[in-house]
Amino acid sequence: MLSENIKRLRKAKGLSQEELAVKLNVVRQTVSKWEQGVSLS
């Protein structure tokens, strides 16, 4: 599932949700929602 892949890859790169959010120019809550499968937009 996409949400699981996002979380797995983020952790493999040693990034926090906040760090990934900054790199993607989104807020941390967006990354959290992606990882929970709540929102994929």
Side-chain angles (χ1 to χ4, degrees):
M1 184 167 234
L2 182 59
S3 58
E4 294 166 357
N5 285 339
I6 293 170
K7 187 172 187 176
R8 181 179 52 80
L9 291 169
R10 173 181 63 79
K11 287 186 173 190
K13 295 286 186 179
L15 297 172
S16 68
Q17 286 183 346
E18 181 66 31
E19 291 167 327
L20 180 58
V22 169
K23 289 180 179 289
L24 298 176
N25 199 32
V26 297
V27 296
R28 187 203 55 80
Q29 289 84 350
T30 301
V31 175
S32 178
K33 287 180 181 179
W34 290 342
E35 290 185 359
Q36 294 173 35
V38 176
S39 172
L40 296 176
S41 59

